[in-house]
Amino acid sequence: MARVSQEHLDARRRQIIDGAIRCFTRNGFHATSMQDVLREVGLSAGAVYRYFSGKEELIGAIVGEAFGTIRGAFEDAAKQDPPPLPDKLLAHVLDTVLNGRVGGGSIEFPRLVLQVWAETLRNEGLATPLREGFADMRVAWGKLVDAYREAGLMPDDVDADAVARTMMALAQGFIAQQALFGDAKVEQLEAGLRALMRMEVPKVS
Amino acid sequence: MARVSQEHLDARRRQIIDGAIRCFTRNGFHATSMQDVLREVGLSAGAVYRYFSGKEELIGAIVGEAFGTIRGAFEDAAKQDPPPLPDKLLAHVLDTVLNGRVGGGSIEFPRLVLQVWAETLRNEGLATPLREGFADMRVAWGKLVDAYREAGLMPDDVDADAVARTMMALAQGFIAQQALFGDAKVEQLEAGLRALMRMEVPKVS
DNA sequence: TTGTCAAGAATGAATGTTCGTTTTAACTTG
DNA sequence: CAAGTTAAAACGAACATTCATTCTTGACAA
């Protein structure tokens, strides 16, 4: 045997994924060639194909990691007790997402997310886990809304799922703005939502 | 002369764009080949290349139309007087976007928008007009927030731009959900935002 | 320790395919 | 019939992937 250590194999795999993430974030999945990836990671074709059976599998691994990062951030936020108000909750999620490991941690990750969303539209094998994850997160966040109701912060007749979806839309929209314009600050979203929450709503509109 | 009428030329161009939109919405810009587009529109290569100098220009035309649709919807909503409350305002924008002409009018358009966002990330020529349009819309919506303040619906010290960005993030997030999961209803976003606006916010959090 | 060696890991040129685009020749029509 | 329009074949370039080959590693015998 001349097997190399498992750490070495893991490190190589990570090296490939990290380089591929840089390429895909920069140029999208399908405008990036495998040769671009090979150049970026500094390995030969044969080496990369030892770790991934092809481009499709490489994309799948990266999309899966991105799902995990986002899902983790949402679930992490929902776990807090007592549940923070929506503005704080969203700020926490977005801070976690933007500082996560995948994609280099910063301004790069939202761009990867946009590419992942686009890819999900044309790959049913990716769409299914995304839908399931979204459904789970809606349930978790719906429970937060129930907690708001029980604390007397919201009327009893609100649609918890609608509120959960609305808060998640805010997070998704922020990620889109961050990816597209780069200058979105979490504090701005927090302040903006806080202002909406404090708005005086006339009885009849 | 065997020149064909201008209407014929316009119709051909539209036929090409409409078919290309179907392809790009289904599969993204770079996973769609020109031959896919030719098949979809039912024309030969020579015909299509008479109307568009290449794939890049075809993409540019479609992205430009999508920008126009979205921008129109936002500006249209901001023009209303007296300004509706944020929940109604967003419902109006999203109804307009989802029922607009581009992209077949319905569930297809949000998917095209996601592809457009992804493409914008790698094409500076598309990114610039997007940024300018976003900046303009922020100004217009910031004025709406000023109107809320003057009507006594919001405290004087709120950051109008932050609120404008937050509302736009909601719209963008809804479009993302609609594209990815298909089952998002405008009324749900309206109800969810309404619930957040009516939330009892403790003085100290 | 040191030297040996087979198996695993990595290479990169070559493969067949598909890409966007151009060219050529035929057809339409005012 | 001539200019405008279309169809279809053909182009080189670039694509994802393969594979014969070379290099590297680490267990083990000395």
Side-chain angles (χ1 to χ4, degrees):
Chain A
M1 282 186 289
R3 239 207 134 73
V4 106
S5 73
Q6 185 63 38
E7 294 86 50
H8 174 91
L9 295 175
D10 292 348
R12 272 274 189 272
R13 192 183 152 93
R14 181 112 301 274
Q15 171 187 1
I16 293 167
I17 287 184
D18 287 346
I21 284 178
R22 285 193 295 277
C23 290
F24 293 148
T25 299
R26 198 187 302 133
N27 236 2
F29 292 108
H30 300 285
T32 298
S33 71
M34 282 304 273
Q35 339 226 358
D36 292 335
V37 174
L38 304 182
R39 206 176 304 121
E40 179 78 29
V41 304
L43 288 175
S44 66
V48 169
Y49 276 85
R50 180 167 307 286
Y51 292 87
F52 296 94
S53 72
K55 194 181 186 181
E56 189 105 336
E57 187 175 309
L58 185 52
I59 291 174
I62 290 172
V63 170
E65 283 200 8
F67 284 174
T69 298
I70 290 180
R71 193 184 169 132
F74 273 87
E75 288 181 348
D76 188 47
K79 241 179 284 183
Q80 290 187 80
D81 192 73
L85 291 179
D87 57 329
K88 294 284 177 198
L89 191 70
L90 278 166
H92 185 268
V93 170
L94 292 169
D95 273 332
T96 308
V97 165
L98 296 177
N99 299 327
R101 275 190 330 93
V102 174
S106 62
I107 209 170
E108 302 296 321
F109 187 67
R111 290 175 170 244
L112 180 64
V113 171
L114 253 54
Q115 302 292 353
V116 166
W117 286 347
E119 180 63 11
T120 302
L121 294 180
R122 56 176 296 280
N123 187 333
E124 191 57 31
L126 302 180
T128 301
L130 179 68
R131 272 195 284 266
E132 289 171 358
F134 182 65
D136 289 349
M137 296 191 309
R138 266 167 59 201
V139 171
W141 281 48
K143 286 181 185 154
L144 286 178
V145 177
D146 289 337
Y148 294 150
R149 281 199 303 214
E150 281 158 24
L153 300 174
M154 272 188 182
D156 279 343
D157 63 345
V158 301
D159 178 348
D161 186 51
V163 178
R165 290 177 89 128
T166 301
M167 288 195 282
M168 292 169 72
L170 261 174
Q172 291 178 278
F174 180 86
I175 289 171
Q177 284 187 17
Q178 179 78 358
L180 293 168
F181 313 114
D183 61 348
K185 300 246 193 312
V186 173
E187 302 83 46
Q188 279 191 300
L189 187 84
E190 190 179 336
L193 175 55
R194 164 59 63 123
L196 288 171
M197 286 162 56
R198 299 187 80 122
M199 201 169 182
E200 300 289 334
V201 183
K203 293 268 152 48
V204 186
S205 77
Chain B
M1 282 186 291
R3 204 184 168 72
V4 104
S5 72
Q6 184 63 38
E7 294 87 49
H8 178 265
L9 295 176
D10 292 347
R12 272 272 189 274
R13 194 183 151 92
R14 181 113 300 273
Q15 171 188 2
I16 293 167
I17 287 184
D18 287 345
I21 285 178
R22 285 193 297 276
C23 289
F24 293 148
T25 299
R26 199 188 302 135
N27 236 2
F29 292 109
H30 300 286
T32 297
S33 70
M34 282 303 272
Q35 340 223 359
D36 292 335
V37 173
L38 302 182
R39 206 176 305 119
E40 179 78 28
V41 304
L43 288 175
S44 67
V48 169
Y49 275 86
R50 180 161 310 285
Y51 292 87
F52 296 93
S53 71
K55 194 182 186 180
E56 188 105 339
E57 187 175 311
L58 184 53
I59 292 174
I62 289 172
V63 170
E65 283 200 9
F67 283 174
T69 298
I70 291 180
R71 191 181 172 136
F74 273 87
E75 288 181 347
D76 187 47
K79 242 180 282 182
Q80 291 187 80
D81 191 73
L85 291 179
D87 57 330
K88 294 284 177 198
L89 190 71
L90 277 166
H92 185 268
V93 169
L94 292 169
D95 273 333
T96 308
V97 164
L98 296 177
N99 299 326
R101 276 190 326 95
V102 173
S106 63
I107 209 170
E108 302 296 321
F109 187 68
R111 291 175 170 241
L112 180 64
V113 171
L114 252 54
Q115 301 293 353
V116 166
W117 286 348
E119 179 64 12
T120 302
L121 294 180
R122 55 177 297 281
N123 187 333
E124 191 56 33
L126 302 179
T128 302
L130 179 69
R131 272 195 284 266
E132 289 170 358
F134 182 67
D136 289 350
M137 296 190 311
R138 266 167 58 200
V139 171
W141 281 48
K143 285 181 185 154
L144 286 178
V145 177
D146 288 337
Y148 294 149
R149 281 199 303 216
E150 280 158 23
L153 300 174
M154 272 188 181
D156 279 344
D157 63 345
V158 301
D159 178 347
D161 186 50
V163 178
R165 290 177 88 127
T166 301
M167 288 195 283
M168 291 170 73
L170 261 174
Q172 291 178 278
F174 179 86
I175 288 171
Q177 285 187 16
Q178 178 78 356
L180 293 170
F181 312 115
D183 62 348
K185 300 247 191 311
V186 173
E187 302 84 46
Q188 281 192 298
L189 187 84
E190 190 178 335
L193 175 55
R194 164 59 63 121
L196 289 171
M197 287 163 56
R198 299 186 81 122
M199 201 169 183
E200 299 289 333
V201 184
K203 293 269 152 48
V204 185
S205 75

